[in-house]
Amino acid sequence: MFFPFYARRLPDSHFLAVSRSGDYVFLGEEDLHKLTTAPQELELDRLAELQSKFFLGSPTRQGSLRLLASKLLAKRETILNGPSLHLIVLTLQCAHTCRYCQVSRSLGSLGHSMEPATLAAACEMIFESPSKSITVEFQGGDTLLRFDLIKFAIEKITERNLQEKRHLRFVVSSTLHQLDERMCDFFKQHNVYLSTSIDGPARLHNKNRPTPTRDSYERTINGINMARDLISPDVVSALMTTTRDSLLIPEEIVDEYVHLGFREIFLRPLSVYGFARRNFEHLGYSLSEFSLFYERAFEHILQINREGGDFREVMASVFLNKILSPFDGGFVDLQSPTGAGLAALAYNYDGFVYPSDEARMLAEMGDTSFRLGAIGETLDALLNSEVQQNLIRASTSPRIPGCDQCAYNSYCGPDPISAKNQAGDIFAAVHLTDHCRRNMWLFDFLFMKLHQQEKWFLDLAFQWANPTPEREFCCA
Amino acid sequence: MRKLPVKTHGIPLRGVQRVISLALLANEWESGLQFMVLVDSIGDAGILEQLVDGGLKNIVVCVPYHLDWHSHIMPTVACDTRALELHDVVVLNLEKQELLVVYRNSDMHHAIQLTNRCNSFCLMCSQPPTTHDDQWLIDEALLVAAHINDSPSAIGLSGGEPLLLGPRLREVIDAYATRLPSTRIEILTNGRLLADEVLATHLLTGISDKVSWLVPLYGHADFLHDFVVQSVGAFEQTIGGLLTLQSYGQAIQLRIVLIEPTLRVLPELCRFIGRNLPFVREVALMGCEPIGFALANRDACKTDLADWHAELIEAANALRRANVPYIFMNTPLCALPQSLWAHAHQSISDWKRSFREECSICVVKTNCSGLFSWHNHNWTPTVIKAIDGKACNEEVH
Amino acid sequence: MKKFIKSLSLFIASIPLAAAKATAELPAGQDAVFESQLSDFNPVQLRPLNHGLDNLFAGHRSHSSHRSHSSHASHASHYSGSSGRGSYSVPAQDTTSSPSTTSPSEALPAAPSFSSEQPNKEIVSPRLDAPKPPLPSSQLTFEEKRRLQVMRVQIALIGLGLYAGTVDGEFNTDTQEALRSFQRLKRLPSSGLMTTDTLNALGIMAVQ
Ligand code: SF4
Ligand code: SF4
């Protein structure tokens, strides 16, 4: 008898079916039909394959069922082990006036940084999570403007961890413009990773991220170089945001990253929050425009690897991890139920805890509906809050109309926070959300690649699907 | 296992003995063990008789045939003593006038057989099971543990199916773990009975961390595996057993014997392992031993590995992609594609291994597993063909 | 190959039907119910163990996917066969209770049938007369260790022709006298005691 699974006709018209365990097969219409009506008529090899991938089974097969239960557990590890990604939004101050930024405040503005007492409470709260690995990421604004707060928090958390013995990691997200030797010393001493933004070549970056002196790119590069010299060559990772101006130069953007010595790039579409929403005509683009951009960049990256380079695209890696690996890579934005709250928490400078970075940005724009509670409340209270329960309800893919019939629901689920932002409702019809349309497109794209069975590509795909500790996704 | 013809005098019972010299006896003697003392002169034999006079009950004297002598006051074994080494653990089989070397320090591989019984009936079983009660083997294995005077890097506990010992398997494991403190204990089992929670709890709770489990898997679907082991339900039990082992943090080596039914599905089986059993320490891909049931099931078991290179490479790729280490065992290098040579091990136990005439001109002989001595010209893993210097690159060195 | 597929198909056909349709059927196509049924099973952590705490494959993954020969040789297991040795025959004293068996190379078994019948797996209680292995010397009492030490010395002295008494573990005057002779021969202080130097000269290690 067959187990629940969903099939999908890919754009190249082949059938793909994915079982609850996340195992997939490409199969013809005839086999698909037999699978659901008369599995015993399948060829033996096909039968064995479908059985081994949990399309077929029986309640008497106790070993296999226990295996299936174990596999489902492995897939949910990220959301079952307690929040592991803790974002602390220290300040909104920033010297930039980025075109797509929603939240930052000018340097002079007061009252947009976290009070030390609040920060101290946040540092304690982090340890309420049962997770054995904890990543603390400092966000801004531009965090290095408040190095004093970073130092305070890292020292406090490190001290508490002497007893807790969690596997700790710190990430500071910053333009790196203010980085100096003293900071580097401190970061080196505490094993801190740095995350910065590079949108592409200087002219694009400086256009996207204006500063009064028009040298944002140059100053960030200086910061990167200083960090690599004084801390370690691998200490900095970079993020890019795709704007309308990026669309025509995918290869150039990738080359910029390679040239700067990065080993990966995260080709992120613009998230349409805050100012970006208001500036949509200038910055925004449709999914098909983005997908053209992405596919060009992707092919270019494949070419680099084919020529012996070691360079990966992070979004594809996250998706391939879902498809090919029995272990979840820990990327909080692609979980079902959502990783927002369950796997990640954002402690905002305003004294409240939000389930994600996006949720706190929405709050900045006036929608505070995702507040889980105040810093200092118990984790239990936050996770049992009405808000969190609704987030879970709105993102458990097998129970969401649309997702319930989707072949990708073993890998994916709705993102209620972006749904709220886009359509005003966390339960918005999933197929109409950007999140769903983009994910479906990328899954289709990668499955078509996998179906071509090119040995070389498969090798690369499996490599990307297995994150290494230094390259885990959750800080991306 | 090495067997040696002997002539015995005055030995009442089959028993386990430690082979020793007169010079070492004083240092190692203890009352609970049995010693077989090698002597090559009547004079030394006389000293032993004096010890027996002095009250030592647990010594047997072992003399070469040419002395043509036996003692009237102590048990005597005559044999070709050159075939024995000090600290060999031997069992005397009086019925057959045969001495079995069950443990030898200088061997690379050590194995102790715990039972002849099995709950599977594999197509290629090298040692077809019997159904007789053979509890005495357990007692003997415990004695062997006490008689070993060394802690080798690893020792295998095999069968038959060791799990059929039930709770007593733990007794044996504990005995070896205490006696041989720096030895890895490797249990060759089909894992089926570990699906039984009560037995699993008894065997695995608090077990020595020196233990690892060598478990065969022959298919990715029940009917494939069950066919090879000729037992319905075995696959589900083995999968359950593997999960139980993992839940107790046990080290596991999966073993796949390369015969036609497994070679056919090898790539898919290895993909299955990568997706579902990624916790195993390693997968061993093993050439089939032409012995036991394999001879009777020649159709399924006799294969030329050269015909299956594509499958072997694809299977290796699947394991590599899933980061599951793998090794080839019992596969001469000339039977493997060269890209897999680096994964081939010299796995055939010393006393089972042989080479062919052809091998003497082969440039990779020193890295090659060779053949089982019971491989004959009718049955080799492939056509044995010497590798010449040109065909071989640095990869093997 | 054909022949094999045929026997495989036969094998499948012979699987008892009872096994195929069992107790409570899992409802197909209904995820929620499906998963709640699965929750009866005790799931197992599938990640390789002992590979670092950070649950991201530390140590298990390396940047390059190539694993060197030597890196896993350390935990490779090398038993070449499905078992390590040929079949045993039953011990001589046991012939009454169990008939002796022959080793596989001597008598070829018939090809296994396709039946699912299993060999007898019942475990009988251990024989009472089974010889019991001794305790490791580390588990002996102090008294027992000393006895053993003395016996070993007596054995050595007999071997040297210096002692002709019994090997009884009693540190009696004969034994002491023999030790003194030995010590004189070796130019050691002739105390008649089992000093470390004396034991070393006798080639006997102190019982631990
Ligand atoms: S969000 Fe879209 S792509 Fe993801 S599971 Fe739901 S329907 Fe499928
Ligand atoms: S010819 Fe002999 S030594 Fe050379 S690879 Fe073949 S079996 Fe090994």
Side-chain angles (χ1 to χ4, degrees):
Chain A
M1 99 199 212
F2 68 93
F3 283 168
F5 73 91
Y6 294 98
R8 173 172 178 81
R9 193 194 276 268
L10 293 174
D12 66 5
S13 86
H14 287 100
F15 275 103
L16 165 80
V18 184
S19 69
R20 286 313 285 143
S21 64
D23 293 313
Y24 66 90
V25 281
F26 297 102
L27 72 185
E29 229 165 318
E30 196 188 329
D31 277 358
L32 190 58
H33 182 71
K34 279 188 196 161
L35 168 59
T36 50
T37 55
Q40 69 283 1
E41 284 171 22
L42 288 161
E43 249 181 72
L44 283 185
D45 287 344
R46 191 51 118 177
L47 186 69
E49 185 189 1
L50 290 168
Q51 228 172 274
S52 76
K53 291 180 171 173
F54 303 96
F55 287 87
L56 292 164
S58 127
T60 55
R61 299 203 182 118
Q62 300 279 313
S64 294
L65 290 179
R66 188 167 180 213
L67 179 56
L68 178 54
S70 306
K71 286 187 65 133
L72 292 176
L73 183 77
K75 288 189 142 311
R76 307 235 163 93
E77 221 173 36
T78 304
I79 46 171
L80 291 180
N81 288 353
S84 56
L85 175 59
H86 299 261
L87 301 160
I88 303 184
V89 184
L90 291 175
T91 178
L92 288 191
Q93 289 176 32
C94 183
H96 287 71
T97 46
C98 295
R99 299 200 291 164
Y100 40 70
C101 178
Q102 34 285 43
V103 294
S104 66
R105 294 296 182 276
S106 68
L107 286 177
S109 64
L110 292 171
H112 289 102
S113 293
M114 200 178 261
E115 294 298 327
T118 314
L119 181 55
C123 293
E124 296 296 329
M125 225 180 140
I126 286 169
F127 288 99
E128 275 191 54
S129 166
S131 176
K132 286 188 189 127
S133 331
I134 284 183
T135 297
V136 181
E137 180 169 342
F138 298 97
Q139 286 263 6
D142 200 351
T143 48
L144 290 187
L145 291 171
R146 296 306 307 268
F147 179 68
D148 58 325
L149 292 179
I150 296 178
K151 187 162 179 282
F152 173 77
I154 289 181
E155 282 171 350
K156 201 162 170 49
I157 292 168
T158 307
E159 196 194 316
R160 166 103 188 246
N161 199 47
L162 291 178
Q163 268 96 58
E164 295 278 350
K165 302 208 171 22
R166 313 289 182 93
H167 184 252
L168 256 193
R169 249 171 41 120
F170 295 107
V171 180
V172 171
S173 221
S174 155
T175 61
L176 302 183
H177 289 187
Q178 298 82 16
L179 190 70
D180 62 24
E181 277 180 36
R182 175 184 56 118
M183 296 179 190
C184 287
D185 277 355
F186 180 81
F187 291 153
K188 182 167 187 165
Q189 192 189 332
H190 288 90
N191 236 331
V192 177
Y193 291 83
L194 300 175
S195 166
T196 192
S197 299
I198 296 282
D199 285 349
R203 63 170 200 285
L204 175 65
H205 184 92
N206 284 338
K207 189 174 175 198
N208 281 346
R209 300 172 185 259
T211 57
T213 46
R214 298 189 191 172
D215 58 354
S216 173
Y217 175 86
E218 289 73 14
R219 292 179 65 190
T220 297
I221 299 298
N222 286 342
I224 293 173
N225 289 336
M226 179 189 290
R228 286 178 174 167
D229 281 354
L230 297 182
I231 309 174
S232 97
D234 284 330
V235 71
V236 191
S237 64
L239 280 176
M240 60 90 60
T241 301
T242 312
T243 58
R244 177 156 274 287
D245 294 316
S246 318
L247 295 179
L248 292 174
I249 54 166
E251 293 85 0
E252 237 184 288
I253 293 173
V254 170
D255 288 342
E256 175 72 21
Y257 267 68
V258 175
H259 174 73
L260 290 176
F262 290 109
R263 296 200 313 214
E264 60 188 28
I265 190 170
F266 192 168
L267 294 169
R268 286 195 310 174
L270 186 64
S271 33
V272 199
Y273 293 92
F275 297 155
R277 203 162 163 195
R278 275 173 257 155
N279 281 346
F280 192 77
E281 311 89 84
H282 307 300
L283 300 167
Y285 39 80
S286 67
L287 174 60
S288 52
E289 284 172 294
F290 176 74
S291 58
L292 280 176
F293 162 80
Y294 183 89
E295 284 170 29
R296 266 175 64 186
F298 189 82
E299 284 307 329
H300 188 59
I301 292 170
L302 291 191
Q303 189 54 35
I304 290 168
N305 281 281
R306 221 176 275 133
E307 287 163 6
D310 171 17
F311 191 79
R312 69 168 86 184
E313 201 285 302
V314 177
M315 188 153 71
S317 303
V318 168
F319 279 60
L320 288 168
N321 167 263
K322 294 280 171 185
I323 298 169
L324 298 176
S325 170
F327 309 120
D328 194 75
F331 187 68
V332 298
D333 289 351
L334 193 62
Q335 301 288 338
S336 169
T338 177
L342 292 178
L345 289 171
Y347 306 81
N348 203 17
Y349 74 96
D350 64 4
F352 291 97
V353 183
Y354 296 87
S356 74
D357 203 28
E358 290 72 28
R360 65 100 183 180
M361 288 185 187
L362 281 176
E364 217 49 58
M365 292 156 50
D367 176 359
T368 54
S369 61
F370 289 114
R371 264 182 198 168
L372 296 177
I375 295 176
E377 283 181 47
T378 66
L379 181 66
D380 232 31
L382 301 189
L383 294 185
N384 286 311
S385 65
E386 184 69 22
V387 177
Q388 183 61 46
Q389 292 305 312
N390 276 334
L391 281 175
I392 295 171
R393 238 167 270 141
S395 61
T396 308
S397 52
R399 298 185 194 168
I400 301 295
C403 292
D404 61 352
Q405 303 289 322
C406 173
Y408 300 134
N409 71 13
S410 298
Y411 311 130
C412 173
D415 176 359
I417 295 171
S418 70
K420 179 81 190 299
N421 179 43
Q422 197 190 338
D425 181 6
I426 61 170
F427 291 99
V430 69
H431 287 305
L432 301 178
T433 63
D434 288 345
H435 169 85
C436 172
R437 291 175 55 225
R438 192 177 61 236
N439 287 1
M440 221 177 265
W441 155 75
L442 189 54
F443 277 119
D444 282 351
F445 173 73
L446 292 171
F447 270 114
M448 286 188 290
K449 281 266 167 213
L450 290 171
H451 191 200
Q452 287 163 9
Q453 288 279 341
E454 243 183 285
K455 174 182 180 291
W456 174 86
F457 177 72
L458 289 180
D459 281 343
L460 190 75
F462 274 93
Q463 234 168 288
W464 287 11
N466 297 328
T468 57
E470 314 88 74
R471 291 180 172 196
E472 68 191 272
F473 302 137
C474 60
C475 59
Chain B
M1 188 170 22
R2 293 182 183 83
K3 292 180 184 171
L4 207 62
V6 292
K7 274 172 70 182
T8 62
H9 284 277
I11 292 180
L13 290 176
R14 173 191 176 106
V16 178
Q17 322 260 351
R18 178 191 294 171
V19 175
I20 199 168
S21 66
L22 185 53
L24 289 176
L25 182 65
N27 186 40
E28 292 179 21
W29 185 89
E30 43 185 296
S31 61
L33 302 183
Q34 296 289 326
F35 294 92
M36 186 156 116
V37 188
L38 295 176
V39 300
D40 51 13
S41 71
I42 306 280
D44 283 354
I47 294 177
L48 282 180
E49 290 195 323
Q50 218 181 317
L51 287 172
V52 173
D53 268 345
L56 289 199
K57 294 279 172 267
N58 54 346
I59 50 179
V60 169
V61 60
C62 180
V63 296
Y65 287 124
H66 66 77
L67 272 192
D68 195 19
W69 175 89
H70 67 85
S71 171
H72 295 285
I73 63 165
M74 74 179 150
T76 309
V77 175
C79 66
D80 178 5
T81 51
R82 288 165 308 179
L84 291 174
E85 292 181 12
L86 291 181
H87 296 134
D88 278 356
V89 179
V90 301
V91 171
L92 282 171
N93 183 344
L94 302 177
E95 237 190 1
K96 291 194 181 170
Q97 287 290 294
E98 196 169 72
L99 177 154
L100 311 174
V101 180
V102 295
Y103 177 87
R104 170 164 288 178
N105 281 352
S106 65
D107 281 348
M108 250 167 21
H109 312 298
H110 307 285
I112 307 295
Q113 188 184 357
L114 304 181
T115 175
N116 287 318
R117 295 173 300 132
C118 190
N119 51 355
S120 289
F121 224 58
C122 301
L123 288 177
M124 64 304 194
C125 180
S126 62
Q127 196 190 311
T130 63
T131 53
H132 315 296
D133 173 21
D134 51 15
Q135 295 274 331
W136 56 273
L137 269 173
I138 306 174
D139 301 321
E140 204 163 270
L142 293 171
L143 283 172
V144 170
H147 281 82
I148 294 175
N149 178 39
D150 185 30
S151 193
S153 65
I155 198 164
L157 300 180
S158 79
E161 172 48 50
L163 289 172
L164 289 177
L165 269 62
R168 288 205 75 191
L169 177 58
R170 179 60 185 269
E171 191 187 331
V172 176
I173 293 169
D174 288 348
Y176 279 83
T178 342
R179 292 278 175 183
L180 316 178
S182 57
T183 299
R184 232 169 41 245
I185 298 169
E186 307 192 316
I187 302 169
L188 291 94
T189 169
N190 61 35
R192 294 174 60 184
L193 293 174
L194 288 174
D196 170 354
E197 261 179 59
V198 179
L199 179 61
T201 311
H202 181 92
L203 287 178
L204 299 174
T205 309
I207 195 171
S208 154
D209 60 4
K210 293 276 186 284
V211 173
S212 51
W213 303 78
L214 281 42
V215 183
L217 188 69
Y218 298 133
H220 50 288
D222 56 356
F223 57 87
L224 296 172
H225 177 88
D226 292 358
F227 171 73
V228 175
V229 305
Q230 292 287 307
S231 316
V232 174
F235 176 80
E236 293 298 329
Q237 290 178 323
T238 294
I239 293 292
L242 288 168
L243 292 173
T244 299
L245 286 173
Q246 164 70 358
S247 73
Y248 281 87
Q250 298 295 294
I252 301 167
Q253 181 194 65
L254 280 184
R255 323 195 101 197
I256 305 173
V257 177
L258 303 173
I259 57 174
E260 187 177 317
T262 58
L263 283 162
R264 269 188 66 252
V265 300
L266 196 62
E268 197 58 40
L269 170 55
C270 289
R271 284 191 280 267
F272 174 83
I273 293 167
R275 288 195 310 268
N276 298 296
L277 308 170
F279 49 84
V280 301
R281 290 285 166 89
E282 117 191 307
V283 174
L285 301 146
M286 307 173 63
C288 177
E289 278 186 82
I291 191 171
F293 280 158
L295 298 174
N297 295 307
R298 192 174 278 258
D299 280 346
C301 301
K302 187 182 170 208
T303 46
D304 183 344
L305 287 179
D307 296 340
W308 299 95
H309 280 188
E311 283 79 2
L312 294 177
I313 289 171
E314 215 186 318
N317 280 340
L319 293 171
R320 175 174 50 78
R321 286 170 182 157
N323 286 328
V324 176
Y326 59 93
I327 56 171
F328 284 89
M329 289 168 58
N330 314 345
T331 47
L333 295 180
C334 57
L336 290 178
Q338 193 174 337
S339 62
L340 298 177
W341 283 2
H343 294 267
H345 277 241
Q346 290 180 292
S347 50
I348 300 182
S349 305
D350 329 34
W351 63 275
K352 295 178 177 177
R353 181 168 58 189
S354 73
F355 284 97
R356 283 292 146 81
E357 240 175 78
E358 185 75 17
C359 302
S360 58
I361 54 160
C362 175
V363 297
V364 296
K365 187 178 171 197
T366 47
N367 292 304
C368 178
S369 72
L371 297 159
F372 285 107
S373 47
W374 36 84
H375 270 118
N376 57 37
H377 286 280
N378 271 330
W379 187 331
T380 53
T382 186
V383 181
I384 299 301
K385 192 166 180 317
I387 309 288
D388 68 39
K390 271 174 262 142
C392 160
N393 63 19
E394 313 82 63
E395 203 172 340
V396 276
H397 297 296
Chain C
M1 177 87 88
K2 274 234 182 70
K3 199 167 165 197
F4 158 69
I5 296 287
K6 208 175 139 212
S7 37
L8 179 58
S9 313
L10 273 175
F11 175 76
I12 292 169
S14 75
I15 296 175
L17 266 180
K21 58 168 154 38
T23 54
E25 298 249 316
L26 282 181
Q30 283 181 35
D31 270 352
V33 195
F34 175 71
E35 290 206 16
S36 66
Q37 299 242 355
L38 273 181
S39 65
D40 293 348
F41 291 89
N42 183 10
V44 172
Q45 160 90 266
L46 294 179
R47 273 185 202 278
L49 301 156
N50 315 321
H51 280 301
L53 233 189
D54 59 327
N55 82 5
L56 275 154
F57 327 154
H60 191 61
R61 319 275 148 165
S62 54
H63 284 287
S64 87
S65 51
H66 179 78
R67 286 168 174 271
S68 76
H69 186 72
S70 59
S71 69
H72 56 258
S74 59
H75 62 249
S77 303
H78 305 279
Y79 295 95
S80 49
S82 44
S83 81
R85 64 204 265 212
S87 190
Y88 255 173
S89 48
V90 184
Q93 80 269 30
D94 216 18
T95 40
T96 47
S97 59
S98 33
S100 78
T101 56
T102 43
S103 79
S105 44
E106 290 161 71
L108 263 188
S113 71
F114 291 115
S115 88
S116 60
E117 195 192 314
Q118 307 208 335
N120 170 26
K121 55 177 168 187
E122 206 170 294
I123 297 169
V124 255
S125 57
R127 280 189 2 230
L128 290 175
D129 61 343
K132 282 281 165 278
L135 287 175
S137 59
S138 58
Q139 291 174 23
L140 300 179
T141 64
F142 178 79
E143 264 319 305
E144 287 164 335
K145 281 182 188 169
R146 186 178 154 84
R147 266 186 91 74
L148 180 57
Q149 183 79 75
V150 174
M151 289 172 101
R152 287 182 176 176
V153 167
Q154 288 168 333
I155 292 171
L157 293 171
I158 291 178
L160 293 165
L162 296 172
Y163 176 69
T166 54
V167 182
D168 53 10
E170 298 297 334
F171 200 52
N172 50 30
T173 46
D174 283 357
T175 309
Q176 291 169 27
E177 203 40 57
L179 260 183
R180 264 189 213 104
S181 321
F182 176 73
Q183 287 163 334
R184 276 194 296 272
L185 278 172
K186 289 282 165 185
R187 298 181 192 286
L188 292 165
S190 61
S191 59
L193 299 175
M194 297 185 291
T195 62
T196 308
D197 283 345
T198 312
L199 290 181
N200 285 346
L202 282 170
I204 296 176
M205 278 183 293
V207 174
Q208 298 291 319

